[in-house]
Amino acid sequence: MTRDSSQRGQHRRRYGPEVVEALVPLWEASDRLCGKRLHALLPQLVESLEHHGHMQLEQGVRARVLTMSSATIDRLLAPVRQSSGGNGWRRPPRAHSGVRRRVQVRTFNGWDDHKQPGWLEIDLVAHCGGRLEGRFIWTLVATDIATGWSESLPVITRDGASVLAAIQLLRQQLPFPLRGIDADNDPAFMNALMEQWCDAPEQGIELTRSRAYQSNDQAWVGHPRESRGSCPRDSLGTPVEQKNGVLIRRVVGYERLVGLEAAQLLAELYAAMRLFTNLFQPSFKLKSSVREGGRIKRLHHPPRTPLQQLLRTGVLSDEEAQGLRELRKRCDPVALLATMRSCQSRLALLISGQRASAMAGDPLSWQSPESEKRELEGFLQGLQALWRQSRPLQKKHKPRQGRRSRVDPFEAHADLIPQWLEAEADVGSQELLERLIELDPERYGPQHKRTLQRRIRDWRVARVQECLENAAQRQETQSGRSKKVLPGVN
């Protein structure tokens, strides 16, 4: 029987509207699973919904729903997914995602041509006390790649406008022009305000970013000495992000700071710290690195302060260079350090809850000198403990003890194994283990093969050493005899 030409090419539809009408409630009841997961769940889901009276399917519709494939499920539900709100195939991109796509990515190989000062790495440090809930103060850290010049400013709220205002203030404090900013993928940096400000013709600032989850994309700069007489912990220097610990965590700590009072104290602390760090804290810069076999030999320039590095670049005019030299002469490092300690003491009081007295003036007028000294000592000790905890722990070499910590599994046949080895020097560990299992199957098993291999190896090494010592003794004996026999030998 042949079909009519009008019927040719027509596809017989197996799943009609009634099947789709039954499939949509099942999809909603499964919390809108994908086709593959819904296909595996359908037998149990249909039975459960019918048992609790939520739906009753006809026998034919029920059979077709349970026999359809996962691809058919996705095809039938595609129009429903597209029309349902918030359940599109793809989440609409955020605003800062477009900025990320437009901003150039700079990897760890992109810093070789930036020998002039003005190219900054920036990052945010959270003073949250281990809890990111609520509002707290952030610190914006910026470090110049060529000279290691560092600036820090407190930020009360973490948003694009506040961060941009801090960068504009930071730009005024820099002794050199700002040429470029490299940041991570934080929305506080990757936003339209930052992009428009950097792209403005009157600014001429290049905005770049690192790759997501690629911390090695950050530039490497000099490493300030962490303690008196210490050498750089990493021969290559330190990534800019590690200055969060060197400059901020080591001085401020990890406590939670909230409010305008804490921001003012941090601003006063950072004002003294920028002069102390940039004028009186030398750092190492890598000169060259040569691979010798499996080791890398690295040479460093003599330690120089960021100011000395800046003056060596020659980008400053004579008036600007002379002004910075005069600034270094006017600044007293002892007075700057005392200011930093005073701000730390006031932060300790602020953290302990005495906010009203923390901003009164001289810290000695808030309370007795003994109490103030105890607060400062406790605060500094806590900083030292937290700094040590943040460093990677170095495993100490544990000397091997001479006694065994476990029972020797071959103790019962300790004399038999050397006898077998003496009689058959080339015997293998598997054959010896089979002999031991035949002697005592309850004591020995396949799990003792590795231990037996080590035992045989040690015995053979000792045997070789014994043979070498005997050969050396025979050689000495023969040479002594030859001296007596040969005439003219003393």
Short mmCIF file of all heavy atoms in Angstrom, two decimals, residues 100-131:
data_model
loop_
_atom_site.label_atom_id
_atom_site.label_comp_id
_atom_site.label_asym_id
_atom_site.label_seq_id
_atom_site.Cartn_x
_atom_site.Cartn_y
_atom_site.Cartn_z
N ARG A 100 35.33 44.76 32.48
CA ARG A 100 36.40 43.77 32.48
C ARG A 100 36.78 43.34 31.07
O ARG A 100 37.96 43.14 30.76
CB ARG A 100 35.99 42.54 33.29
CG ARG A 100 35.87 42.78 34.79
CD ARG A 100 35.40 41.52 35.47
NE ARG A 100 35.21 41.73 36.89
CZ ARG A 100 34.68 40.81 37.71
NH1 ARG A 100 34.30 39.64 37.23
NH2 ARG A 100 34.53 41.08 38.98
N ARG A 101 35.79 43.20 30.22
CA ARG A 101 36.09 42.78 28.85
C ARG A 101 36.83 43.87 28.08
O ARG A 101 37.63 43.57 27.19
CB ARG A 101 34.80 42.41 28.12
CG ARG A 101 34.17 41.11 28.60
CD ARG A 101 33.08 40.67 27.66
NE ARG A 101 31.96 41.60 27.66
CZ ARG A 101 30.90 41.50 28.46
NH1 ARG A 101 30.83 40.51 29.34
NH2 ARG A 101 29.92 42.38 28.40
N ARG A 102 36.57 45.13 28.42
CA ARG A 102 37.23 46.22 27.71
C ARG A 102 38.62 46.54 28.26
O ARG A 102 39.48 47.02 27.52
CB ARG A 102 36.36 47.47 27.76
CG ARG A 102 35.08 47.37 26.95
CD ARG A 102 34.39 48.70 26.86
NE ARG A 102 33.94 49.18 28.16
CZ ARG A 102 32.75 48.93 28.69
NH1 ARG A 102 31.88 48.19 28.02
NH2 ARG A 102 32.42 49.41 29.87
N VAL A 103 38.84 46.29 29.55
CA VAL A 103 40.12 46.62 30.17
C VAL A 103 41.16 45.59 29.75
O VAL A 103 40.90 44.38 29.76
CB VAL A 103 39.98 46.67 31.70
CG1 VAL A 103 41.35 46.84 32.36
CG2 VAL A 103 39.08 47.82 32.11
N GLN A 104 42.34 46.06 29.41
CA GLN A 104 43.41 45.18 28.95
C GLN A 104 43.93 44.34 30.11
O GLN A 104 44.08 44.81 31.23
CB GLN A 104 44.56 46.02 28.37
CG GLN A 104 45.74 45.20 27.86
CD GLN A 104 46.87 46.08 27.36
OE1 GLN A 104 46.74 47.30 27.36
NE2 GLN A 104 47.95 45.46 26.96
N VAL A 105 44.24 43.08 29.83
CA VAL A 105 44.79 42.15 30.81
C VAL A 105 46.32 42.23 30.76
O VAL A 105 46.91 42.17 29.69
CB VAL A 105 44.33 40.70 30.54
CG1 VAL A 105 45.03 39.73 31.48
CG2 VAL A 105 42.82 40.61 30.70
N ARG A 106 46.94 42.37 31.94
CA ARG A 106 48.40 42.42 32.02
C ARG A 106 48.86 41.20 32.83
O ARG A 106 48.49 41.04 34.00
CB ARG A 106 48.87 43.70 32.69
CG ARG A 106 50.38 43.88 32.61
CD ARG A 106 50.81 45.07 33.46
NE ARG A 106 50.20 46.30 33.02
CZ ARG A 106 50.66 47.06 32.04
NH1 ARG A 106 51.74 46.69 31.38
NH2 ARG A 106 50.06 48.18 31.72
N THR A 107 49.68 40.36 32.23
CA THR A 107 50.18 39.18 32.91
C THR A 107 51.52 39.48 33.56
O THR A 107 52.01 40.61 33.53
CB THR A 107 50.31 38.01 31.92
OG1 THR A 107 51.28 38.35 30.93
CG2 THR A 107 48.98 37.73 31.24
N PHE A 108 52.13 38.45 34.12
CA PHE A 108 53.40 38.64 34.82
C PHE A 108 54.54 38.99 33.86
O PHE A 108 55.60 39.45 34.30
CB PHE A 108 53.77 37.38 35.60
CG PHE A 108 53.89 36.15 34.75
CD1 PHE A 108 55.10 35.79 34.20
CD2 PHE A 108 52.77 35.36 34.48
CE1 PHE A 108 55.20 34.67 33.41
CE2 PHE A 108 52.88 34.24 33.68
CZ PHE A 108 54.10 33.89 33.15
N ASN A 109 54.35 38.78 32.55
CA ASN A 109 55.39 39.12 31.57
C ASN A 109 55.24 40.54 31.03
O ASN A 109 56.03 40.94 30.17
CB ASN A 109 55.34 38.15 30.39
CG ASN A 109 55.83 36.77 30.78
OD1 ASN A 109 56.73 36.64 31.60
ND2 ASN A 109 55.22 35.74 30.22
N GLY A 110 54.27 41.29 31.50
CA GLY A 110 54.00 42.60 30.92
C GLY A 110 54.60 43.77 31.65
O GLY A 110 54.17 44.91 31.44
N TRP A 111 55.61 43.52 32.50
CA TRP A 111 56.17 44.61 33.30
C TRP A 111 57.62 44.94 32.94
O TRP A 111 58.24 45.79 33.59
CB TRP A 111 56.11 44.24 34.78
CG TRP A 111 54.71 44.08 35.27
CD1 TRP A 111 54.05 42.91 35.47
CD2 TRP A 111 53.79 45.12 35.60
NE1 TRP A 111 52.77 43.14 35.91
CE2 TRP A 111 52.59 44.50 36.00
CE3 TRP A 111 53.85 46.51 35.59
CZ2 TRP A 111 51.47 45.22 36.40
CZ3 TRP A 111 52.74 47.22 35.98
CH2 TRP A 111 51.56 46.59 36.38
N ASP A 112 58.17 44.30 31.94
CA ASP A 112 59.58 44.51 31.62
C ASP A 112 59.85 45.89 31.05
O ASP A 112 60.94 46.43 31.21
CB ASP A 112 60.06 43.45 30.63
CG ASP A 112 59.98 42.05 31.23
OD1 ASP A 112 60.01 41.94 32.47
OD2 ASP A 112 59.87 41.07 30.46
N ASP A 113 58.88 46.47 30.37
CA ASP A 113 59.09 47.76 29.70
C ASP A 113 58.75 48.96 30.57
O ASP A 113 58.84 50.10 30.10
CB ASP A 113 58.25 47.82 28.42
CG ASP A 113 58.64 46.74 27.43
OD1 ASP A 113 59.80 46.29 27.48
OD2 ASP A 113 57.78 46.32 26.64
N HIS A 114 58.36 48.73 31.82
CA HIS A 114 57.93 49.82 32.67
C HIS A 114 59.04 50.11 33.69
O HIS A 114 58.95 49.73 34.86
CB HIS A 114 56.62 49.48 33.38
CG HIS A 114 55.48 49.29 32.43
ND1 HIS A 114 55.28 48.11 31.75
CD2 HIS A 114 54.49 50.12 32.01
CE1 HIS A 114 54.21 48.22 30.98
NE2 HIS A 114 53.72 49.43 31.12
N LYS A 115 60.08 50.77 33.22
CA LYS A 115 61.20 51.11 34.09
C LYS A 115 61.03 52.47 34.75
O LYS A 115 61.71 52.78 35.71
CB LYS A 115 62.51 51.10 33.28
CG LYS A 115 62.79 49.78 32.56
CD LYS A 115 62.93 48.64 33.54
CE LYS A 115 63.28 47.34 32.79
NZ LYS A 115 63.40 46.20 33.73
N GLN A 116 60.13 53.30 34.25
CA GLN A 116 59.91 54.61 34.82
C GLN A 116 58.88 54.54 35.95
O GLN A 116 57.96 53.72 35.92
CB GLN A 116 59.43 55.59 33.75
CG GLN A 116 60.46 55.90 32.68
CD GLN A 116 59.96 56.93 31.69
OE1 GLN A 116 58.76 57.21 31.63
NE2 GLN A 116 60.87 57.49 30.90
N PRO A 117 59.00 55.41 36.94
CA PRO A 117 57.99 55.43 38.01
C PRO A 117 56.66 55.97 37.51
O PRO A 117 56.60 56.74 36.54
CB PRO A 117 58.62 56.37 39.05
CG PRO A 117 59.55 57.23 38.29
CD PRO A 117 60.09 56.38 37.18
N GLY A 118 55.60 55.55 38.15
CA GLY A 118 54.26 56.00 37.79
C GLY A 118 53.30 54.88 37.46
O GLY A 118 52.11 55.12 37.27
N TRP A 119 53.81 53.64 37.40
CA TRP A 119 52.96 52.48 37.14
C TRP A 119 52.67 51.80 38.47
O TRP A 119 53.55 51.24 39.09
CB TRP A 119 53.62 51.52 36.17
CG TRP A 119 53.95 52.16 34.86
CD1 TRP A 119 55.11 52.78 34.51
CD2 TRP A 119 53.08 52.26 33.72
NE1 TRP A 119 55.04 53.25 33.23
CE2 TRP A 119 53.80 52.95 32.72
CE3 TRP A 119 51.78 51.82 33.46
CZ2 TRP A 119 53.24 53.22 31.47
CZ3 TRP A 119 51.24 52.09 32.22
CH2 TRP A 119 51.96 52.77 31.25
N LEU A 120 51.42 51.87 38.90
CA LEU A 120 51.04 51.45 40.25
C LEU A 120 50.27 50.14 40.23
O LEU A 120 49.46 49.89 39.32
CB LEU A 120 50.17 52.52 40.93
CG LEU A 120 50.77 53.92 41.11
CD1 LEU A 120 49.80 54.79 41.88
CD2 LEU A 120 52.11 53.86 41.82
N GLU A 121 50.52 49.33 41.23
CA GLU A 121 49.67 48.19 41.58
C GLU A 121 48.83 48.62 42.77
O GLU A 121 49.36 49.14 43.76
CB GLU A 121 50.52 46.98 41.96
CG GLU A 121 51.00 46.17 40.78
CD GLU A 121 50.03 45.07 40.41
OE1 GLU A 121 48.91 45.09 40.96
OE2 GLU A 121 50.38 44.22 39.60
N ILE A 122 47.52 48.41 42.71
CA ILE A 122 46.63 48.81 43.80
C ILE A 122 45.84 47.60 44.29
O ILE A 122 45.58 46.66 43.54
CB ILE A 122 45.66 49.94 43.38
CG1 ILE A 122 44.77 49.49 42.22
CG2 ILE A 122 46.45 51.19 43.00
CD1 ILE A 122 43.73 50.52 41.83
N ASP A 123 45.47 47.65 45.56
CA ASP A 123 44.71 46.57 46.16
C ASP A 123 44.00 47.10 47.39
O ASP A 123 44.37 48.16 47.93
CB ASP A 123 45.63 45.40 46.54
CG ASP A 123 44.85 44.13 46.79
OD1 ASP A 123 43.64 44.09 46.45
OD2 ASP A 123 45.41 43.18 47.35
N LEU A 124 42.99 46.38 47.85
CA LEU A 124 42.22 46.75 49.03
C LEU A 124 42.47 45.75 50.14
O LEU A 124 42.55 44.54 49.89
CB LEU A 124 40.72 46.81 48.72
CG LEU A 124 40.23 48.00 47.90
CD1 LEU A 124 38.75 47.84 47.55
CD2 LEU A 124 40.45 49.31 48.63
N VAL A 125 42.59 46.26 51.37
CA VAL A 125 42.77 45.43 52.55
C VAL A 125 41.57 45.65 53.46
O VAL A 125 41.23 46.80 53.78
CB VAL A 125 44.08 45.78 53.29
CG1 VAL A 125 44.27 44.87 54.50
CG2 VAL A 125 45.27 45.66 52.36
N ALA A 126 40.95 44.57 53.89
CA ALA A 126 39.73 44.65 54.71
C ALA A 126 40.08 44.62 56.19
O ALA A 126 40.80 43.74 56.64
CB ALA A 126 38.78 43.51 54.37
N HIS A 127 39.55 45.58 56.94
CA HIS A 127 39.68 45.59 58.40
C HIS A 127 38.35 45.11 58.98
O HIS A 127 37.61 45.87 59.60
CB HIS A 127 40.02 46.99 58.89
CG HIS A 127 41.28 47.54 58.32
ND1 HIS A 127 42.53 47.12 58.72
CD2 HIS A 127 41.49 48.46 57.33
CE1 HIS A 127 43.46 47.77 58.03
NE2 HIS A 127 42.86 48.58 57.18
N CYS A 128 38.06 43.83 58.75
CA CYS A 128 36.75 43.27 59.09
C CYS A 128 36.78 42.42 60.34
O CYS A 128 35.72 42.01 60.82
CB CYS A 128 36.22 42.44 57.92
SG CYS A 128 37.31 41.06 57.46
N GLY A 129 37.95 42.11 60.87
CA GLY A 129 38.01 41.26 62.05
C GLY A 129 37.55 39.85 61.81
O GLY A 129 37.08 39.18 62.74
N GLY A 130 37.65 39.37 60.58
CA GLY A 130 37.22 38.00 60.28
C GLY A 130 35.76 37.87 59.92
O GLY A 130 35.30 36.77 59.64
N ARG A 131 35.02 38.99 59.89
CA ARG A 131 33.59 38.95 59.55
C ARG A 131 33.32 40.00 58.47
O ARG A 131 33.51 41.20 58.70
CB ARG A 131 32.72 39.23 60.77
CG ARG A 131 32.83 38.20 61.88
CD ARG A 131 31.94 38.54 63.07
NE ARG A 131 32.37 39.76 63.73
CZ ARG A 131 31.76 40.93 63.64
NH1 ARG A 131 30.68 41.06 62.87
NH2 ARG A 131 32.21 41.99 64.28
#
